[in-house]
């Protein structure tokens, strides 16, 4: 019996992704989508349905957000009254999608038992992370080398996760002390939790460019730490 409850894995332990990290996964053999603030890897689904008409809507929207396909209140695909037969049927604006056939003939309010959950309800299998609610810029300067970069980070990222994002510019993060306004930051907290606020809306309300000021983290080399 399918209820209106999603099957959730431990979402709190999953990483957060930026929209531009999702959009690059837009191929048959590398297909991600997002919906309802979740990020889903549907590559296996694409392989299972390869060559069928049902997979075409998925591939056409690979790398994109498909929240508009679903009913948030019911935690299910949207349904509508069919104009010809008057039945409640799945709403598929781009054509039928995988697993719709297994439920299309069933009543939305009293689904009969079927062998598997539709892919959009199976979070444990396909959900790989969460979509950030706020991508924000962060300037990082390596005081030792002078290397500077402005990168996009997730509002929910801890400083450790931001260090990982900066690893393309500095692979020895463990040998640096990270500071904001000359004070060490807590690596297990987010920018906001460290008192580093996102003030872009305030700048815009004042008639200023949103990027007039970007918070800056400074990386200070620590001779007491051993590089590995």
């Amino acid at each position: 019996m399918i209820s209106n409850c999603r099957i959730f894995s431990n979402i709190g332990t999953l990483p957060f992704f930026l929209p531009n990290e999702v959009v690059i996964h837009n191929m048959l053999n590398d297909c991600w989508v997002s919906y309802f603030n979740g990020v889903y890897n549907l590559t296996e689904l694409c392989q299972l349905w390869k060559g069928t008409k049902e997979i075409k809507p998925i591939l056409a929207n690979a790398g994109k957000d498909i929240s508009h396909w679903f009913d948030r209140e019911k935690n299910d695909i949207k349904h509508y009254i069919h104009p010809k037969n008057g039945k409640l049927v799945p709403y598929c604006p781009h054509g039928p999608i995988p697993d719709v056939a297994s439920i299309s003939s069933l009543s939305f309010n009293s689904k009969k038992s079927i062998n598997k959950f539709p892919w959009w309800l199976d979070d444990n299998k396909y959900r790989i992370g969460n979509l950030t609610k706020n991508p924000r810029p962060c300037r990082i300067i390596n005081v030792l080398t002078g290397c500077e970069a402005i990168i996009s980070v997730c509002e929910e990222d801890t400083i450790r996760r931001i260090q990982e994002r900066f690893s393309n510019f500095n692979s020895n993060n463990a040998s640096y002390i990270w500071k904001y306004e000359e004070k060490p930051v807590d690596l297990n907290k987010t920018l906001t939790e460290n008192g580093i606020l996102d003030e872009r809306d305030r700048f815009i309300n004042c008639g200023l460019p949103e990027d007039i000021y970007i918070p800056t983290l400074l990386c200070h080399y620590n001779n007491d730490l051993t590089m590995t």
Side-chain angles (χ1 to χ4, degrees), residues 67-107:
S67 297
H68 60 287
W69 290 8
F70 305 99
D71 186 322
R72 185 180 292 273
E73 291 184 1
K74 294 183 172 65
N75 285 324
D76 204 347
I77 193 169
K78 288 181 178 179
H79 284 65
Y80 76 108
I81 302 296
H82 196 284
K84 292 185 178 180
N85 59 31
K87 294 183 178 180
L88 195 63
V89 297
Y91 174 66
C92 300
H94 307 288
I97 59 176
D99 294 343
V100 162
S102 62
I103 67 168
S104 60
S105 61
L106 305 180
S107 167

Side-chain angles (χ1 to χ4, degrees), residues 98-118:
D99 294 343
V100 162
S102 62
I103 67 168
S104 60
S105 61
L106 305 180
S107 167
F108 179 59
N109 294 318
S110 58
K111 293 188 178 73
K112 300 178 182 178
S113 176
I114 59 177
N115 293 330
K116 62 186 288 292
F117 282 89

Side-chain angles (χ1 to χ4, degrees), residues 28 45-46 48-61 69 92-101 119:
L28 175 66
L45 184 76
C46 290
L48 289 173
W49 291 77
K50 183 178 180 180
T52 67
K53 64 180 181 180
E54 285 84 359
I55 203 60
K56 290 182 179 180
I58 300 290
L59 294 176
N61 289 273
W69 290 8
C92 300
H94 307 288
I97 59 176
D99 294 343
V100 162
W119 60 266

